[in-house]
Amino acid sequence: MPSKPAIITTDLDSPLGQLATQLTESDLRSTAYEIFVAVCRTSSGKALTYTPNSSNSDSPTHHSSHSPNSPALQRSLTSAAASKMKKALGLKSPGSGSKKSPGSGSSSGSGQGKVRRALTVGELMRTQMRISETVDSRIRRALLRIAAGQVGRRIESVVLPLELLQQLKLSDFTDQQEYEVWQKRTMKVLEAGLLLHPHVPLDKSNPTSQRLRQIIHGAMDRPIETGKNNESMQVLRSAVMSLASRSDGSISEICHWADGIPLNLRLYEMLLQACFDVNDETSIIDEIDELLEHIKKTWTILGMNQMLHNLCFTWVLFHRFVATGQTETDLLDAADGQLAEVARDAKTTKDPQYSKILSSTLSSILGWAEKRLLAYHDTFDSGNVDTMQGIVSLGVSAAKILVEDISNEYRRKRKGEVDVVRTRIDTYIRSSLRTAFAQRMEKADSSWRASKNQPNPLPVLAILAKDVGELAINEKQVFSPILKRWHPFSAGVAVATLHACYGNEIQQFKSGIVELTPDAVQVLRAADKLEKDLVQIAVEDSVDSDDGGKAIIREMPPYEAEAAIADLVKAWIRARLDRLKEWVDRNLQQEVWNPQANQEGYAPSAVEVLRIVDETLDAYFQLPIPMHPALLPDLMTGLDKCLQYYATKAKSGCGSRNTYVPTMPALTRCTMESKFAWKKKEKLANTQKRNSQVATMNGDNSFGVPQFCVRINTLHRIRSELDVLEKRTITHLRNSESARAEDFSNGLAKKFELTPAACIEGVQQLSEAVAYKIVFHDLSHVFWDGLYVGEPSSSRIEPFIHEVEQNLLIISNIIHERVRTRVVTDIMRASFDGFLLVLLAGGPSRAFMLQDSQIIEDDFKSLKDLFWANGDGLPTELIDKFSTTVRSILPLLRTDTESLVERYRRMTLETYGSSARSKLPLPPTSGQWNPTDPNTLLRMLCYRNDEAASRYLKKTYNLPKKL
């Protein structure tokens, strides 16, 4: 007897039903074999004819007249012709090499070429069901005795276990123990078929059933006598036949002893298992067609039909696939093919018993399949993915039948609303990927813990993003091509699920970020890359969809990782700028503008502010972000405003040209009397007035001429350094990973726009302010309060020139050469403006006669020579340009009074027209001195020291002699 190959124990309980009695697999197999032999001996009450394929003269069919067996069991088998059923199911032939199906002919091992005779169907079945020849012989003897005693009776009209009990004696067995074991098994079969699982439901109060139960339970303790005329046997026969003869209303001679569910299904399951090769548990024998033809003859006794056969055969194929290690996809495909027959059957019947078995079987198959498919990443990989296809197909087919043909809820809905298969696949994808994601999270956390003591460890979510990306690629390459058969957008669903899983983590992470850190940027960049990869897969997968993949993309709300990075960078920029602004405020308050602070003569605070700006730009470009060009304008604008603020603060409080220019006194006419008497008093009054105008400057050392120079140098230095900063910024941009050509075409984004203008304006204001400060404030004692006061010949310009020269030396030593000319030019302009003010608005303490004109012209020439400095000073052209007005006014000092009066009248009439003929109006002061300007001419008359001028002014305007 062949040894049985190992079959793996499975956690699959038979959905065909559990028996309420202790019948083992071996018991059921033996009973099923007894039924099989019985029906095949007497099919339709006559012997079957059979013409063998083989011409072998040793075929058992040649000896049929001498054989005690029925012709049906004597048919010889050959595997020469391939099985039609195996072809239909796509099954392979059993074994390989020399391993053959039990029914196949083969060469003997002797090497003599002796041909072994072909097996009969009966011999094949005995081998397949692992029944010994002794047992087989005993069964056949009993069947002969039964046939002899009941000639003409059909086998389905007898209760086979009862007849076997009657016919087989102790002498037919090896020993007493074997006989008792057999008898107990036979009694248990009667109990199962008639009492526990009857074809027709049994009334518990039925006295016959109670009597039979007592007999069977007694037989379990002590074997009963089974002689024909034995009383106990007659009582047993009476009870058995009474119960077996009950019918469900149909008129029939059939005895119902093995056709109750689930006994019949379990017995039939034993018969179908015989279709598998005993030498190769994963293969179905080549002779399956003929074997099944004989197995189907048991349907009458077992109450089977084609629908139940299809269902049982599906289960047997599926169970064998599971039990043999789940490696034989042939079996899986065969079960799937057989399930298609079951699906057709399910649509044609509403039999409640069938539906119950169908539901149980499909639920078992689906439960097993879904246990693997709901976490298919744990079950399958690229090595066994072919098996997955079969399991998916089987699972969705089972689900479809369960929902569409059994579920009442489904029938109540419009079928168009439910796509069972697609919904299942969707569930499998989402469930498995959620599980896989959770596993990747644990793995990422472990990786991070293992590497956290190493330099620059990757953050957990960055590791996770990389792993999830790899998971998505693997999904697309390995699983999606298979699942696409049932779900056209399987890859899209997969990446949408992963997107959601990672999205939960990244949103939580984002809500906890308070500042820009390398870890935060790493995680957000990893999230952004992952999202782009996932969306790309979704878009590619949805190319052929009606909506172009919009539904899947709607399932993937953006992480907005780049926006989060941008917000963090903007916050970083704001924090840096706020600190810089505070620093500027604090340091400018402490800045003393000391020219000795450094060799270059500019403020230390400027050095620091430029250093901080440079460091801020460096730090910005060192941020590991992908959007340096995009956010650079924000930073540049902020830095620009900070530097503009510094420039504005650097000049604040220093005043301007108008701060130092004295207010013009009211017009008076000159007098020859007491000219020197009030000279000292007038001079003192003027000095006090000027000092009150610039009181804010006194006592504050930060507003001295050297400090003004440092301020000017500082603004010039900042302006110069801006070009350097802009060039460095462009270099940084070129080296940044996200730089594009258009980032360099738009120059504005990299430039300081406010600060250059602020610096230029500041230098201009400070240069003018220091110039007019020197002339009108610092040197007022020798200029405004002293020049030409009283007698012009005794208060000339030399003291002023000497003082200006000292100031020019100080300025030249401090001021930067690039702005030196501007400052000196402004001092010259202030001197020239002051010279004209002395002549035209110097107040009642000044008066000029015609003979004073030469003194004044000589003084002005000396003043010009100071700035020319024998060619080492300002260019002649520049001096001439700014001295034009003075040179045009000086000739008026040489002009006689009558001519001046006449010119004044003419110019006034030309200006005011005929309305001025009756009375000349007093022309307003424009401040723009000109020899043709009426106000300029009037002032020249006011300061003319002669009687004619005084009389004219008295007569025309009644001007006073004193203020």
Side-chain angles (χ1 to χ4, degrees), residues 550-703:
K550 289 179 183 174
I552 287 293
I553 298 302
R554 274 197 297 271
E555 270 194 62
M556 304 168 74
Y559 295 158
E560 295 182 338
E562 277 200 356
I565 295 174
D567 289 343
L568 288 170
V569 175
K570 286 174 182 176
W572 180 90
I573 289 172
R574 282 195 300 272
R576 286 287 185 127
L577 294 175
D578 288 347
R579 286 205 299 272
L580 179 57
K581 172 92 165 19
E582 288 173 15
W583 187 95
V584 169
D585 274 332
R586 187 170 61 252
N587 280 267
L588 277 176
Q589 286 172 9
Q590 298 169 1
E591 184 60 72
V592 294
W593 310 100
N594 179 10
Q596 259 68 64
N598 51 51
Q599 288 184 338
E600 290 84 359
Y602 47 80
S605 59
V607 179
E608 278 301 297
V609 78
L610 289 168
R611 181 185 63 77
I612 294 170
V613 168
D614 192 29
E615 285 178 358
T616 302
L617 281 166
D618 277 347
Y620 173 75
F621 282 103
Q622 284 171 15
L623 295 176
I625 58 171
M627 66 276 289
H628 286 116
L631 297 178
L632 180 61
D634 290 15
L635 179 61
M636 293 297 282
T637 301
L639 293 174
D640 195 15
K641 286 179 179 176
C642 282
L643 288 172
Q644 180 200 28
Y645 179 73
Y646 182 94
T648 305
K649 282 285 186 180
K651 67 177 186 175
S652 67
C654 293
S656 64
R657 165 184 172 169
N658 294 334
T659 307
Y660 301 100
V661 174
T663 306
M664 289 188 191
L667 289 172
T668 59
R669 55 195 174 89
C670 191
T671 176
M672 297 295 293
E673 301 169 6
S674 309
K675 185 173 179 183
F676 296 98
W678 45 258
K679 175 179 176 183
K680 186 174 180 182
K681 180 181 173 184
E682 183 70 25
K683 179 176 179 181
L684 181 63
N686 283 342
T687 303
Q688 288 171 344
K689 188 177 179 183
R690 283 301 308 126
N691 286 348
S692 68
Q693 284 183 327
V694 291
T696 56
M697 305 301 167
N698 294 342
D700 189 344
N701 198 39
S702 63
F703 294 100

Side-chain angles (χ1 to χ4, degrees), residues 73 228 246 319 352 360 410 612 659 699 789 889 903 963:
L73 282 174
K228 186 175 182 182
R246 295 177 314 116
H319 186 269
S360 174
Y410 178 81
I612 294 170
T659 307
V789 169
I889 298 299
R903 187 186 294 188
L963 288 176

Side-chain angles (χ1 to χ4, degrees), residues 413-604:
K413 292 183 178 179
R414 291 205 308 275
K415 292 189 178 183
E417 293 177 357
V418 182
D419 186 338
V420 178
V421 173
R422 189 160 165 175
T423 303
R424 285 280 165 176
I425 298 298
D426 193 279
T427 302
Y428 300 155
I429 293 170
R430 293 182 192 277
S431 169
S432 188
L433 280 163
R434 286 188 192 112
T435 303
F437 178 84
Q439 291 167 349
R440 293 303 194 284
M441 268 201 74
E442 288 183 18
K443 178 185 164 194
D445 191 53
S446 299
S447 298
W448 176 78
R449 289 180 190 283
S451 65
K452 69 179 180 179
N453 293 324
Q454 296 174 2
N456 304 319
L458 272 178
V460 175
L461 287 183
I463 298 170
L464 183 61
K466 182 173 177 289
D467 288 352
V468 170
E470 290 170 358
L471 184 61
I473 296 296
N474 185 62
E475 182 74 19
K476 177 188 172 186
Q477 293 174 348
V478 177
F479 299 115
S480 294
I482 288 172
L483 297 171
K484 207 170 182 70
R485 173 181 160 190
W486 296 278
H487 195 310
F489 313 120
S490 54
V493 172
V495 294
T497 304
L498 289 174
H499 186 274
C501 289
Y502 191 82
N504 293 334
E505 302 303 320
I506 202 66
Q507 296 305 339
Q508 191 175 342
F509 176 79
K510 278 168 60 181
S511 67
I513 301 174
V514 291
E515 63 177 344
L516 186 72
T517 62
D519 278 9
V521 174
Q522 267 190 306
V523 168
L524 290 169
R525 292 193 68 178
D528 188 57
K529 180 184 184 303
L530 173 64
E531 182 168 54
K532 287 184 172 74
D533 292 344
L534 295 180
V535 169
Q536 180 63 29
I537 292 172
V539 169
E540 289 172 0
D541 192 54
S542 306
V543 168
D544 300 326
S545 67
D546 295 337
D547 67 349
K550 289 179 183 174
I552 287 293
I553 298 302
R554 274 197 297 271
E555 270 194 62
M556 304 168 74
Y559 295 158
E560 295 182 338
E562 277 200 356
I565 295 174
D567 289 343
L568 288 170
V569 175
K570 286 174 182 176
W572 180 90
I573 289 172
R574 282 195 300 272
R576 286 287 185 127
L577 294 175
D578 288 347
R579 286 205 299 272
L580 179 57
K581 172 92 165 19
E582 288 173 15
W583 187 95
V584 169
D585 274 332
R586 187 170 61 252
N587 280 267
L588 277 176
Q589 286 172 9
Q590 298 169 1
E591 184 60 72
V592 294
W593 310 100
N594 179 10
Q596 259 68 64
N598 51 51
Q599 288 184 338
E600 290 84 359
Y602 47 80

Side-chain angles (χ1 to χ4, degrees), residues 146 149-150 153 157-167 169 187 190 194 208 211-212 215 224-245 255:
I146 294 167
Q150 301 189 32
R153 284 191 70 181
S157 65
V158 299
V159 179
L160 186 58
L162 179 65
E163 301 304 332
L164 290 174
L165 277 172
Q166 181 107 46
Q167 298 300 333
K169 308 300 177 190
M187 297 297 277
L190 286 172
L194 296 171
T208 308
R211 188 163 60 249
L212 178 59
I215 295 169
I224 63 168
E225 292 292 331
T226 58
K228 186 175 182 182
N229 299 317
N230 187 280
E231 183 183 352
S232 60
M233 190 62 198
Q234 287 177 351
V235 174
L236 176 63
R237 178 177 289 280
S238 171
V240 167
M241 293 310 292
S242 172
L243 293 173
S245 300
C255 284

Side-chain angles (χ1 to χ4, degrees), residues 286-297:
D286 289 335
E287 301 80 6
I288 184 173
D289 297 39
E290 186 144 19
L291 199 59
L292 277 179
E293 182 188 331
H294 283 70
I295 288 171
K296 286 179 180 181
K297 291 175 183 176

Side-chain angles (χ1 to χ4, degrees), residues 54-291:
S54 174
S55 59
N56 182 3
S57 59
D58 291 334
S59 172
T61 52
H62 288 268
H63 306 284
S64 59
S65 57
H66 307 294
S67 172
N69 298 337
S70 76
L73 282 174
Q74 285 181 336
R75 292 181 176 179
S76 65
L77 303 166
T78 175
S79 58
S83 159
K84 289 180 183 177
M85 175 169 279
K86 289 185 74 172
K87 273 187 179 178
L89 294 174
L91 290 163
K92 68 173 186 178
S93 294
S96 59
S98 62
K99 192 190 283 184
K100 297 286 184 177
S101 170
S104 305
S106 66
S107 303
S108 72
S110 64
Q112 301 300 315
K114 182 178 178 181
V115 178
R116 191 188 70 176
R117 70 180 182 83
L119 289 173
T120 62
V121 174
E123 288 172 319
L124 175 61
M125 192 61 165
R126 179 186 65 74
T127 306
Q128 287 295 97
M129 293 193 77
R130 296 181 285 281
I131 304 296
S132 67
E133 291 185 20
T134 306
V135 172
D136 178 62
S137 177
R138 183 164 62 227
I139 294 168
R140 293 179 189 281
R141 282 199 305 276
L143 288 172
L144 282 172
R145 294 169 192 166
I146 294 167
Q150 301 189 32
V151 177
R153 284 191 70 181
R154 296 164 62 91
I155 191 66
E156 56 266 27
S157 65
V158 299
V159 179
L160 186 58
L162 179 65
E163 301 304 332
L164 290 174
L165 277 172
Q166 181 107 46
Q167 298 300 333
L168 291 176
K169 308 300 177 190
L170 178 57
S171 57
D172 292 306
F173 293 87
T174 309
D175 53 33
Q176 176 77 26
Q177 184 184 358
E178 186 184 12
Y179 174 65
E180 288 181 8
V181 169
W182 171 83
Q183 191 186 81
K184 285 179 183 178
R185 189 260 294 173
T186 307
M187 297 297 277
K188 284 180 188 175
V189 170
L190 286 172
E191 179 186 33
L194 296 171
L195 298 176
L196 300 176
H197 308 290
H199 175 69
V200 180
L202 194 60
D203 187 354
K204 289 183 179 179
S205 61
N206 186 310
T208 308
S209 66
Q210 292 176 357
R211 188 163 60 249
L212 178 59
R213 189 173 286 108
Q214 289 170 356
I215 295 169
I216 291 171
H217 287 175
M220 293 301 107
D221 297 328
R222 185 168 58 84
I224 63 168
E225 292 292 331
T226 58
K228 186 175 182 182
N229 299 317
N230 187 280
E231 183 183 352
S232 60
M233 190 62 198
Q234 287 177 351
V235 174
L236 176 63
R237 178 177 289 280
S238 171
V240 167
M241 293 310 292
S242 172
L243 293 173
S245 300
R246 295 177 314 116
S247 70
D248 52 7
S250 59
I251 301 170
S252 171
E253 294 180 4
I254 297 174
C255 284
H256 302 285
W257 65 270
D259 49 357
I261 293 174
L263 177 62
N264 59 343
L265 300 178
R266 297 304 307 279
L267 290 169
Y268 196 67
E269 185 182 6
M270 295 298 117
L271 293 171
L272 290 178
Q273 284 179 1
C275 297
F276 290 97
D277 195 318
V278 289
N279 296 318
D280 183 357
E281 295 284 3
T282 62
S283 301
I284 283 183
I285 58 174
D286 289 335
E287 301 80 6
I288 184 173
D289 297 39
E290 186 144 19
L291 199 59

